[in-house]
Amino acid sequence: MWTESDWREAAARCGIDLIGVTTAEPLAEHAYYLDWVSRGLAAGMTYLTDHRANKRGDVREILPSAKSVIVAAVLYNAPVPGGPFSRYAWGPDYHDVLRERLERLAKELPAGHDYRVCVDTVPVLERALARRAGLGWIGKNTCLIHQGAGSWFFLGEILTSLELPANPREAPDRCGSCTRCIEACPTSAIVPTKGAHGWELDARLCISYHTIEARTPAPPGLREHFGSLVFGCDICQDVCPWNRRAPITMDFAPVAGPTDLEEMAMLTAEEFRAAYRHTPIWRAKHRGFLRNVAIAMGNAPRASYGPALEHLAASPDPDVREMAGWALSRLNSDDRLSLGRLTP
Ligand code: B12
Ligand code: SF4
Ligand code: SF4
């Protein structure tokens, strides 16, 4: 049987920063998940609300022979320039990186077991599994937080038919009376609820949802609060005291570009592909990306944005056109920046 140090050494060899084991028993949080979904808080994420919702609480729906779940965390806190993309989005696509590392670890386990590697897209409750495996607690911002590593990490799992010694103790909740994330959220997306720690995320209000997952433009009254964010949002983690000393890694060093709004607005579909295909930003697709760029320009109107916005206003996509029209109206509503004065 593997000892704890065997685990840590194997994980480190495979590029995994934190590791924990839990059983394949159903998760108590599944009832909360179904309730969250039933109240409409998943917004338009149909992959959370469809027939897979009922299966998410039990990993044996994915691997019937599963006895244990190995939960891995890989840090992504690389030095990034700040600006329009959230921290995780600058680097290479984490799905590929984590899957490869977890496959390597699975090969180190005793031979002959059934296993399945999960990274993000498999219908399992990754944060709840990680909490039960002892990797950290669920913060009021709903992120999994590790006392030493903060929350800048991805999660992935190996479901296995091996019966492994499960983590005996869950990490205590160390949010205490802190409410920084709730106060800092520009759209008040962390809302009070009756529940374990009294707060939950309403995806309908979340910038991360609207810039990554939403396939329709954010409603007026909300998009004005997105600032210059084009993909993802880190605000509720940036302010978290547990991220102050979060370790740095170069594994997800920035590869995404360009990052200048005017340049991004002018990208063709081919150029978009070349620039972001291997980063998480690809998920927004070209049309979602341009829609987000138009919103970011509308939130900081500058005369120089005029030509780029006119270009987006002629897009074949109705959502991009609508957001460019909205941004242009904000540009024009400011007398000093009126388009009429743009012509040299
Ligand atoms: C859908 C999704 C989103 C949605 C919804 C997020 C949310 N908070 O629900 C959106 C698009 C908004 C999103 C944003 C982000 N995401 Co996301 N997302 C997911 C995904 C695919 C499913 C999450 C889910 O089921 N949400 C529904 C809620 C109800 O479940 P939950 O957050 O997992 O919480 C569970 C428990 O923590 C607990 N719980 C949580 N809150 C509460 C409250 C009460 C009262 C109770 C009783 C229990 C409870 O019960 C829940 C159900 O099991 C997971 C991958 C996966 N398969 O799990 C990644 C994942 C959660 N995301 C991740 C990341 C990195 C992000 C972003 C940082 C990306 C970014 N920079 O923009 C942000 C963070 C925003 C935030 N504050 O959560 C990481 C999280 C790593 C971590 N340290 O926590 C994951 C695990 C992906 C991965 N494989 O690494 N995400
Ligand atoms: S990701 Fe941004 S918008 Fe969403 S809850 Fe956190 S701070 Fe609010
Ligand atoms: S900012 Fe404060 S309340 Fe929010 S997750 Fe971090 S410690 Fe918890």
Side-chain angles (χ1 to χ4, degrees), residues 45-87:
M45 292 180 281
T46 49
Y47 65 89
L48 296 182
T49 57
D50 66 12
H51 62 282
R52 287 166 287 188
N54 286 327
K55 300 183 174 183
R56 282 189 175 250
D58 189 348
V59 297
R60 291 170 304 192
E61 295 280 354
I62 311 292
L63 183 74
S65 60
K67 293 275 187 318
S68 312
V69 182
I70 301 164
V71 187
V74 173
L75 303 173
Y76 64 78
N77 185 27
V80 293
F85 309 139
S86 58
R87 219 168 279 244

Short mmCIF file of all heavy atoms in Angstrom, two decimals, residues 45-87:
data_model
loop_
_atom_site.label_atom_id
_atom_site.label_comp_id
_atom_site.label_asym_id
_atom_site.label_seq_id
_atom_site.Cartn_x
_atom_site.Cartn_y
_atom_site.Cartn_z
N MET A 45 -26.19 28.00 -18.73
CA MET A 45 -25.25 26.87 -18.86
C MET A 45 -26.02 25.55 -18.88
O MET A 45 -26.15 24.87 -17.86
CB MET A 45 -24.21 26.90 -17.72
CG MET A 45 -23.27 28.10 -17.84
SD MET A 45 -22.04 28.19 -16.54
CE MET A 45 -22.98 28.89 -15.18
N THR A 46 -26.52 25.21 -20.04
CA THR A 46 -27.40 24.03 -20.15
C THR A 46 -26.65 22.74 -19.80
O THR A 46 -27.27 21.78 -19.38
CB THR A 46 -27.99 23.92 -21.56
OG1 THR A 46 -26.90 24.05 -22.50
CG2 THR A 46 -29.00 25.02 -21.84
N TYR A 47 -25.33 22.74 -19.95
CA TYR A 47 -24.60 21.52 -19.58
C TYR A 47 -24.64 21.28 -18.07
O TYR A 47 -24.33 20.18 -17.61
CB TYR A 47 -23.16 21.57 -20.12
CG TYR A 47 -22.28 22.65 -19.51
CD1 TYR A 47 -21.54 22.43 -18.37
CD2 TYR A 47 -22.20 23.92 -20.10
CE1 TYR A 47 -20.75 23.43 -17.81
CE2 TYR A 47 -21.41 24.92 -19.56
CZ TYR A 47 -20.69 24.67 -18.42
OH TYR A 47 -19.90 25.67 -17.87
N LEU A 48 -25.04 22.30 -17.31
CA LEU A 48 -25.22 22.11 -15.86
C LEU A 48 -26.64 21.70 -15.51
O LEU A 48 -26.90 21.12 -14.46
CB LEU A 48 -24.89 23.39 -15.09
CG LEU A 48 -23.47 23.94 -15.14
CD1 LEU A 48 -23.34 25.18 -14.27
CD2 LEU A 48 -22.45 22.88 -14.69
N THR A 49 -27.58 22.07 -16.39
CA THR A 49 -29.00 21.91 -16.02
C THR A 49 -29.68 20.72 -16.72
O THR A 49 -30.76 20.34 -16.34
CB THR A 49 -29.79 23.19 -16.39
OG1 THR A 49 -29.60 23.44 -17.80
CG2 THR A 49 -29.32 24.39 -15.62
N ASP A 50 -29.05 20.15 -17.76
CA ASP A 50 -29.70 19.07 -18.53
C ASP A 50 -29.70 17.75 -17.75
O ASP A 50 -29.44 17.72 -16.54
CB ASP A 50 -29.07 18.95 -19.93
CG ASP A 50 -27.62 18.50 -19.88
OD1 ASP A 50 -27.15 18.04 -18.82
OD2 ASP A 50 -26.93 18.59 -20.92
N HIS A 51 -29.89 16.64 -18.44
CA HIS A 51 -30.01 15.33 -17.80
C HIS A 51 -28.79 14.96 -16.95
O HIS A 51 -28.88 14.14 -16.05
CB HIS A 51 -30.23 14.25 -18.87
CG HIS A 51 -29.08 14.16 -19.84
ND1 HIS A 51 -28.89 15.06 -20.87
CD2 HIS A 51 -28.01 13.31 -19.89
CE1 HIS A 51 -27.78 14.75 -21.53
NE2 HIS A 51 -27.23 13.70 -20.96
N ARG A 52 -27.65 15.61 -17.23
CA ARG A 52 -26.44 15.27 -16.47
C ARG A 52 -26.47 15.80 -15.03
O ARG A 52 -25.71 15.37 -14.18
CB ARG A 52 -25.19 15.82 -17.18
CG ARG A 52 -24.84 15.03 -18.43
CD ARG A 52 -23.84 15.75 -19.29
NE ARG A 52 -24.43 16.90 -19.97
CZ ARG A 52 -23.82 17.62 -20.91
NH1 ARG A 52 -22.59 17.33 -21.25
NH2 ARG A 52 -24.43 18.63 -21.49
N ALA A 53 -27.38 16.76 -14.76
CA ALA A 53 -27.44 17.37 -13.42
C ALA A 53 -27.66 16.30 -12.34
O ALA A 53 -27.03 16.32 -11.29
CB ALA A 53 -28.56 18.42 -13.36
N ASN A 54 -28.53 15.35 -12.63
CA ASN A 54 -28.85 14.32 -11.63
C ASN A 54 -27.69 13.37 -11.37
O ASN A 54 -27.64 12.70 -10.35
CB ASN A 54 -30.06 13.50 -12.10
CG ASN A 54 -31.33 14.31 -11.95
OD1 ASN A 54 -31.44 15.12 -11.04
ND2 ASN A 54 -32.26 14.12 -12.87
N LYS A 55 -26.75 13.31 -12.33
CA LYS A 55 -25.65 12.35 -12.20
C LYS A 55 -24.44 12.93 -11.50
O LYS A 55 -23.52 12.22 -11.11
CB LYS A 55 -25.22 11.90 -13.60
CG LYS A 55 -26.35 11.22 -14.37
CD LYS A 55 -25.85 10.74 -15.71
CE LYS A 55 -26.96 9.93 -16.41
NZ LYS A 55 -26.53 9.38 -17.67
N ARG A 56 -24.40 14.24 -11.37
CA ARG A 56 -23.17 14.91 -10.94
C ARG A 56 -22.69 14.56 -9.55
O ARG A 56 -21.53 14.72 -9.23
CB ARG A 56 -23.34 16.43 -11.02
CG ARG A 56 -23.22 16.92 -12.42
CD ARG A 56 -23.18 18.42 -12.51
NE ARG A 56 -22.94 18.78 -13.89
CZ ARG A 56 -21.80 19.32 -14.35
NH1 ARG A 56 -20.84 19.63 -13.52
NH2 ARG A 56 -21.66 19.58 -15.62
N GLY A 57 -23.61 14.11 -8.71
CA GLY A 57 -23.23 13.87 -7.31
C GLY A 57 -22.58 12.53 -7.08
O GLY A 57 -22.10 12.24 -5.98
N ASP A 58 -22.55 11.65 -8.09
CA ASP A 58 -22.06 10.30 -7.87
C ASP A 58 -21.10 9.93 -9.00
O ASP A 58 -21.52 9.71 -10.14
CB ASP A 58 -23.25 9.32 -7.84
CG ASP A 58 -22.83 7.92 -7.41
OD1 ASP A 58 -21.61 7.65 -7.35
OD2 ASP A 58 -23.73 7.10 -7.14
N VAL A 59 -19.82 9.83 -8.70
CA VAL A 59 -18.82 9.57 -9.75
C VAL A 59 -19.00 8.19 -10.37
O VAL A 59 -18.47 7.91 -11.45
CB VAL A 59 -17.37 9.73 -9.23
CG1 VAL A 59 -17.10 11.17 -8.79
CG2 VAL A 59 -17.07 8.75 -8.12
N ARG A 60 -19.76 7.32 -9.69
CA ARG A 60 -19.98 5.98 -10.27
C ARG A 60 -20.89 6.03 -11.50
O ARG A 60 -21.00 5.07 -12.23
CB ARG A 60 -20.53 5.04 -9.19
CG ARG A 60 -19.44 4.76 -8.13
CD ARG A 60 -19.97 4.06 -6.92
NE ARG A 60 -21.06 4.81 -6.31
CZ ARG A 60 -21.56 4.56 -5.12
NH1 ARG A 60 -21.05 3.59 -4.40
NH2 ARG A 60 -22.55 5.28 -4.63
N GLU A 61 -21.52 7.19 -11.70
CA GLU A 61 -22.26 7.39 -12.96
C GLU A 61 -21.28 7.48 -14.13
O GLU A 61 -21.62 7.24 -15.27
CB GLU A 61 -23.08 8.69 -12.91
CG GLU A 61 -24.19 8.68 -11.88
CD GLU A 61 -25.42 7.93 -12.38
OE1 GLU A 61 -25.44 7.53 -13.55
OE2 GLU A 61 -26.34 7.75 -11.56
N ILE A 62 -20.06 7.88 -13.83
CA ILE A 62 -19.03 8.02 -14.87
C ILE A 62 -18.22 6.73 -14.97
O ILE A 62 -17.92 6.26 -16.06
CB ILE A 62 -18.05 9.19 -14.53
CG1 ILE A 62 -18.81 10.47 -14.15
CG2 ILE A 62 -17.05 9.44 -15.65
CD1 ILE A 62 -19.56 11.11 -15.27
N LEU A 63 -17.81 6.20 -13.81
CA LEU A 63 -17.04 4.95 -13.78
C LEU A 63 -17.71 4.03 -12.75
O LEU A 63 -17.46 4.16 -11.54
CB LEU A 63 -15.58 5.23 -13.39
CG LEU A 63 -14.67 4.00 -13.40
CD1 LEU A 63 -14.34 3.57 -14.84
CD2 LEU A 63 -13.37 4.29 -12.64
N PRO A 64 -18.56 3.11 -13.19
CA PRO A 64 -19.33 2.28 -12.25
C PRO A 64 -18.45 1.51 -11.26
O PRO A 64 -18.87 1.27 -10.12
CB PRO A 64 -20.12 1.33 -13.17
CG PRO A 64 -20.26 2.09 -14.45
CD PRO A 64 -18.99 2.89 -14.59
N SER A 65 -17.22 1.16 -11.65
CA SER A 65 -16.36 0.38 -10.74
C SER A 65 -15.58 1.28 -9.77
O SER A 65 -14.78 0.77 -8.98
CB SER A 65 -15.38 -0.45 -11.57
OG SER A 65 -14.58 0.43 -12.35
N ALA A 66 -15.80 2.58 -9.80
CA ALA A 66 -14.98 3.50 -8.98
C ALA A 66 -15.12 3.21 -7.49
O ALA A 66 -16.23 3.02 -6.99
CB ALA A 66 -15.36 4.95 -9.28
N LYS A 67 -13.98 3.19 -6.81
CA LYS A 67 -13.98 3.04 -5.34
C LYS A 67 -13.36 4.29 -4.70
O LYS A 67 -13.66 4.62 -3.57
CB LYS A 67 -13.12 1.83 -4.94
CG LYS A 67 -13.67 0.49 -5.36
CD LYS A 67 -14.67 -0.03 -4.33
CE LYS A 67 -15.15 -1.44 -4.57
NZ LYS A 67 -15.44 -1.77 -5.94
N SER A 68 -12.46 4.95 -5.44
CA SER A 68 -11.76 6.11 -4.89
C SER A 68 -11.63 7.20 -5.94
O SER A 68 -11.68 6.92 -7.14
CB SER A 68 -10.33 5.72 -4.46
OG SER A 68 -10.33 4.56 -3.69
N VAL A 69 -11.44 8.42 -5.43
CA VAL A 69 -11.20 9.56 -6.32
C VAL A 69 -9.91 10.25 -5.86
O VAL A 69 -9.81 10.67 -4.70
CB VAL A 69 -12.36 10.57 -6.28
CG1 VAL A 69 -12.11 11.72 -7.26
CG2 VAL A 69 -13.69 9.89 -6.57
N ILE A 70 -8.96 10.33 -6.76
CA ILE A 70 -7.72 11.07 -6.47
C ILE A 70 -7.95 12.48 -7.02
O ILE A 70 -8.22 12.64 -8.21
CB ILE A 70 -6.52 10.43 -7.17
CG1 ILE A 70 -6.37 8.98 -6.71
CG2 ILE A 70 -5.23 11.23 -6.92
CD1 ILE A 70 -5.46 8.15 -7.60
N VAL A 71 -7.86 13.47 -6.16
CA VAL A 71 -8.10 14.85 -6.60
C VAL A 71 -6.76 15.59 -6.65
O VAL A 71 -6.00 15.55 -5.67
CB VAL A 71 -9.08 15.60 -5.68
CG1 VAL A 71 -9.44 16.95 -6.28
CG2 VAL A 71 -10.35 14.78 -5.45
N ALA A 72 -6.48 16.21 -7.78
CA ALA A 72 -5.20 16.89 -7.97
C ALA A 72 -5.43 18.37 -8.22
O ALA A 72 -6.42 18.75 -8.85
CB ALA A 72 -4.49 16.28 -9.17
N ALA A 73 -4.52 19.19 -7.72
CA ALA A 73 -4.57 20.62 -8.02
C ALA A 73 -3.24 21.01 -8.65
O ALA A 73 -2.17 20.58 -8.22
CB ALA A 73 -4.79 21.41 -6.73
N VAL A 74 -3.34 21.82 -9.72
CA VAL A 74 -2.14 22.32 -10.41
C VAL A 74 -2.19 23.84 -10.40
O VAL A 74 -3.15 24.45 -10.87
CB VAL A 74 -2.07 21.77 -11.86
CG1 VAL A 74 -0.93 22.43 -12.62
CG2 VAL A 74 -1.90 20.25 -11.84
N LEU A 75 -1.16 24.45 -9.84
CA LEU A 75 -1.11 25.92 -9.70
C LEU A 75 -0.96 26.60 -11.05
O LEU A 75 -0.27 26.08 -11.94
CB LEU A 75 0.08 26.32 -8.83
CG LEU A 75 0.15 25.71 -7.43
CD1 LEU A 75 1.47 26.08 -6.76
CD2 LEU A 75 -1.03 26.16 -6.58
N TYR A 76 -1.59 27.78 -11.19
CA TYR A 76 -1.44 28.51 -12.47
C TYR A 76 -1.05 29.97 -12.29
O TYR A 76 -1.10 30.76 -13.23
CB TYR A 76 -2.71 28.40 -13.31
CG TYR A 76 -3.97 29.03 -12.74
CD1 TYR A 76 -4.19 30.40 -12.78
CD2 TYR A 76 -4.97 28.23 -12.19
CE1 TYR A 76 -5.35 30.97 -12.28
CE2 TYR A 76 -6.14 28.78 -11.69
CZ TYR A 76 -6.32 30.16 -11.73
OH TYR A 76 -7.47 30.71 -11.24
N ASN A 77 -0.61 30.33 -11.11
CA ASN A 77 -0.36 31.74 -10.83
C ASN A 77 0.96 32.23 -11.44
O ASN A 77 1.95 32.41 -10.75
CB ASN A 77 -0.36 31.96 -9.31
CG ASN A 77 -0.22 33.41 -8.94
OD1 ASN A 77 -0.61 34.29 -9.71
ND2 ASN A 77 0.33 33.66 -7.76
N ALA A 78 0.95 32.42 -12.76
CA ALA A 78 2.14 32.95 -13.45
C ALA A 78 2.08 34.47 -13.43
O ALA A 78 0.99 35.03 -13.35
CB ALA A 78 2.15 32.45 -14.89
N PRO A 79 3.23 35.15 -13.51
CA PRO A 79 3.18 36.61 -13.57
C PRO A 79 2.50 37.02 -14.88
O PRO A 79 2.95 36.63 -15.96
CB PRO A 79 4.66 37.02 -13.58
CG PRO A 79 5.43 35.78 -13.26
CD PRO A 79 4.58 34.61 -13.57
N VAL A 80 1.38 37.73 -14.79
CA VAL A 80 0.66 38.17 -15.99
C VAL A 80 0.58 39.69 -15.99
O VAL A 80 0.61 40.31 -14.93
CB VAL A 80 -0.77 37.56 -16.08
CG1 VAL A 80 -0.72 36.06 -16.27
CG2 VAL A 80 -1.61 37.91 -14.86
N PRO A 81 0.48 40.29 -17.19
CA PRO A 81 0.51 41.75 -17.25
C PRO A 81 -0.75 42.43 -16.71
O PRO A 81 -0.80 43.64 -16.64
CB PRO A 81 0.67 42.03 -18.74
CG PRO A 81 0.52 40.75 -19.46
CD PRO A 81 0.46 39.64 -18.49
N GLY A 82 -1.79 41.68 -16.33
CA GLY A 82 -3.06 42.31 -15.95
C GLY A 82 -3.79 42.68 -17.22
O GLY A 82 -3.37 42.30 -18.32
N GLY A 83 -4.88 43.40 -17.11
CA GLY A 83 -5.59 43.80 -18.32
C GLY A 83 -6.82 42.99 -18.60
O GLY A 83 -7.52 42.58 -17.69
N PRO A 84 -7.07 42.69 -19.89
CA PRO A 84 -8.41 42.22 -20.28
C PRO A 84 -8.73 40.76 -19.97
O PRO A 84 -9.88 40.37 -20.03
CB PRO A 84 -8.42 42.44 -21.79
CG PRO A 84 -6.99 42.32 -22.21
CD PRO A 84 -6.20 42.86 -21.06
N PHE A 85 -7.71 39.94 -19.66
CA PHE A 85 -7.98 38.51 -19.45
C PHE A 85 -7.72 38.13 -17.99
O PHE A 85 -6.80 38.63 -17.36
CB PHE A 85 -7.06 37.63 -20.33
CG PHE A 85 -7.06 38.02 -21.79
CD1 PHE A 85 -5.86 38.02 -22.51
CD2 PHE A 85 -8.23 38.38 -22.43
CE1 PHE A 85 -5.85 38.38 -23.85
CE2 PHE A 85 -8.23 38.74 -23.78
CZ PHE A 85 -7.04 38.75 -24.49
N SER A 86 -8.51 37.18 -17.51
CA SER A 86 -8.26 36.70 -16.15
C SER A 86 -7.01 35.82 -16.17
O SER A 86 -6.57 35.34 -17.22
CB SER A 86 -9.46 35.95 -15.60
OG SER A 86 -9.77 34.87 -16.42
N ARG A 87 -6.45 35.67 -14.99
CA ARG A 87 -5.13 35.04 -14.84
C ARG A 87 -5.00 33.69 -15.56
O ARG A 87 -4.01 33.42 -16.23
CB ARG A 87 -4.94 34.81 -13.34
CG ARG A 87 -3.59 35.04 -12.80
CD ARG A 87 -3.70 35.06 -11.29
NE ARG A 87 -4.16 36.37 -10.84
CZ ARG A 87 -3.44 37.19 -10.09
NH1 ARG A 87 -2.24 36.82 -9.70
NH2 ARG A 87 -3.92 38.35 -9.72
#
